[in-house]
């Protein structure tokens, strides 16, 4: 037997041992969203939920259900459950089983359960995915479009007898303009407007008492501590890191209030973390300046907040 053939058989032997020694596991992944409009689907008004509990349950063979595991979503609404061995999860489903810190008022009603879908199976390892799970508030938010039930087609009546000649009707007055939808309007408000007492009702889905570490993650917790709230962060001024947190929190609130704001909520969180990863104060100030320019509307967009009732 020549050397190339010997090397080939040796490679196959090592590969067989490596595959045989691979630990068999099953993984279930998915995302939980807040269905703010209570319409049962993901839309522009919905956002991922942090701190929601998700459970996986399967039929136990006796007509009942047995819970296989439970996990909590991270800051981006994602969850991942790992099951040792190779359990058959084809007949199982996932559902929202509870709310935790960060969910606010969106954990009032849990959406329907979703079946687990097998993505792939290889060397005893299995990967399952779940369609997005929904959690709903008690009432839909005011900015959601209202749904109307379909109007049945009218029945065509018999033709009435001809009417005598009538004078023409006077012209109808013009209809009043439709009220604007605040979320679809362009709006950019500086931090002074967000700290005004008459605008506190717009702090959604976060509240003034929400922790900075919960919203912005581990890097923010390391820099600002685990006890600082968003309201305390809005008072930062005079130094680079305090200004960065103040403008980033303002940009986050603006992104939740207006769909036309230049930053998406996840983009605000990502840019703040990128600035905190370095040790350069110039990098921090540049990020704070970008947030501040967006919060000022670049001189073209004003603040559309009105006093709370």
């Amino acid at each position: 037997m020549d050397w190339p053939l010997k090397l080939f058989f040796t490679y196959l032997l090592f590969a067989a041992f490596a595959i045989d020694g691979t630990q068999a596991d099953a993984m279930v992944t998915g995302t939980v969203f807040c269905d703010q409009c209570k319409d049962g689907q993901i839309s522009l008004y919905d956002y991922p939920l942090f701190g929601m509990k998700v459970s996986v349950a399967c039929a136990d063979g006796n007509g009942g259900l047995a819970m296989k595991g439970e996990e909590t979503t991270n800051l981006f609404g994602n969850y991942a459950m790992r099951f040792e061995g190779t359990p058959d999860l084809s007949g199982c489903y996932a559902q929202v089983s509870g709310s935790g810190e960060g969910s606010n008022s969106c954990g009032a009603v849990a959406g329907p359960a979703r079946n687990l879908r097998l993505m792939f199976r290889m060397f005893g390892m299995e990967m399952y995915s779940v369609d997005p799970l929904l959690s709903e508030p008690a009432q839909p938010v005011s900015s959601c479009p209202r749904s109307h039930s379909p109007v049945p087609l009218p029945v065509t009546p018999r033709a009435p007898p001809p009417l005598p000649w009538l004078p023409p009707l006077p012209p109808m007055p013009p209809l009043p303009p439709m009220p604007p939808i605040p979320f679809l309007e362009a709006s950019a408000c500086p931090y002074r407007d967000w700290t005004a007492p008459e605008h506190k009702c717009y702090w959604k889905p976060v509240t003034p008492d929400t922790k900075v570490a919960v919203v912005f993650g581990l890097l923010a917790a390391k820099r600002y501590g685990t006890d600082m709230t968003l309201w305390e962060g809005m008072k930062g001024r005079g130094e680079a890191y305090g200004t960065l947190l103040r403008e980033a929190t303002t940009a986050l609130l603006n992104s939740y209030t207006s769909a036309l704001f230049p930053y998406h909520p996840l983009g605000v969180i990502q840019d703040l973390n990128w600035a905190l990863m370095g040790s350069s104060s110039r990098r921090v100030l540049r990020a704070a300046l970008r947030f501040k320019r967006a919060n000022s509307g670049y001189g073209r967009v004003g603040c559309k907040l009105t006093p709370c009732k």
Side-chain angles (χ1 to χ4, degrees):
M1 182 181 297
D2 55 0
W3 277 105
L5 193 57
K6 289 181 180 179
L7 290 175
F8 176 71
F9 279 110
T10 303
Y11 169 77
L12 288 181
L13 182 62
F14 277 106
F17 276 113
I19 293 174
D20 182 66
T22 301
Q23 185 178 0
D25 288 325
M27 183 72 73
V28 179
T29 60
T31 308
V32 179
F33 286 87
C34 175
D35 185 11
Q36 292 198 106
C37 296
K38 297 175 69 69
D39 55 5
Q41 59 186 358
I42 305 300
S43 65
L44 179 67
Y45 302 90
D46 304 332
Y47 59 90
L49 277 177
F50 162 76
M52 299 299 292
K53 295 180 180 179
V54 178
S55 61
V56 170
C58 307
D60 58 4
N62 298 322
L65 294 175
M67 191 173 72
K68 289 288 187 179
E70 189 176 56
E71 190 56 75
T72 305
T73 59
N74 61 14
L75 184 64
F76 302 103
N78 300 324
Y79 62 91
M81 298 187 200
R82 177 182 175 184
F83 301 92
E84 295 184 358
T86 55
D88 183 15
L89 302 179
S90 57
C92 304
Y93 64 89
Q95 65 178 11
V96 176
S97 57
S99 61
E101 184 179 3
S103 59
N104 291 325
S105 60
C106 202
V109 181
R114 304 290 187 186
N115 292 327
L116 273 60
R117 293 186 290 108
L118 179 64
M119 301 300 295
F120 70 86
R121 179 185 290 116
M122 183 182 299
F123 304 141
M125 296 181 293
E126 298 176 346
M127 175 66 75
Y128 292 85
S129 67
V130 183
D131 290 337
L133 298 176
L134 300 177
S135 184
E136 301 175 352
Q139 297 294 331
V141 297
S142 59
S143 59
C144 289
R146 296 181 179 180
S147 60
H148 301 278
S149 58
V151 179
L153 295 176
V155 179
T156 304
R158 293 181 180 181
L163 296 175
W165 181 86
L166 297 175
L169 294 175
M172 296 293 293
L175 295 176
M178 292 293 293
I181 302 177
F183 185 70
L184 300 180
E185 286 187 307
S187 176
C189 304
Y191 75 93
R192 292 185 180 87
D193 290 317
W194 284 107
T195 54
E198 63 270 19
H199 294 157
K200 275 194 174 182
C201 63
Y202 291 96
W203 281 67
K204 298 178 181 179
V206 296
T207 66
D209 295 328
T210 303
K211 304 296 184 184
V212 171
V214 171
V215 176
F216 292 108
L218 295 177
L219 289 177
K222 183 178 179 181
R223 167 58 62 177
Y224 302 106
T226 57
D227 295 329
M228 177 178 285
T229 63
L230 294 180
W231 184 259
E232 293 170 344
M234 292 289 278
K235 300 177 181 179
R237 58 175 62 90
E239 61 96 16
Y241 288 95
T243 302
L244 173 65
L245 179 59
R246 182 192 70 201
E247 297 301 331
T249 303
T250 305
L252 184 68
L253 293 169
N254 283 323
S255 67
Y256 280 133
T257 306
S258 173
L260 301 181
F261 190 69
Y263 281 91
H264 187 272
L266 295 181
V268 175
I269 297 172
Q270 178 181 352
D271 282 12
L272 179 132
N273 279 274
W274 273 110
L276 294 178
M277 288 177 65
S279 58
S280 171
S281 59
R282 180 177 298 180
R283 181 177 182 177
V284 172
L285 286 173
R286 281 202 300 264
L289 180 60
R290 287 193 295 268
F291 285 136
K292 186 172 184 179
R293 292 182 60 193
N295 295 331
S296 65
Y298 301 105
R300 299 189 298 270
V301 178
C303 181
K304 300 298 176 63
L305 299 182
T306 57
C308 301
K309 295 181 180 179

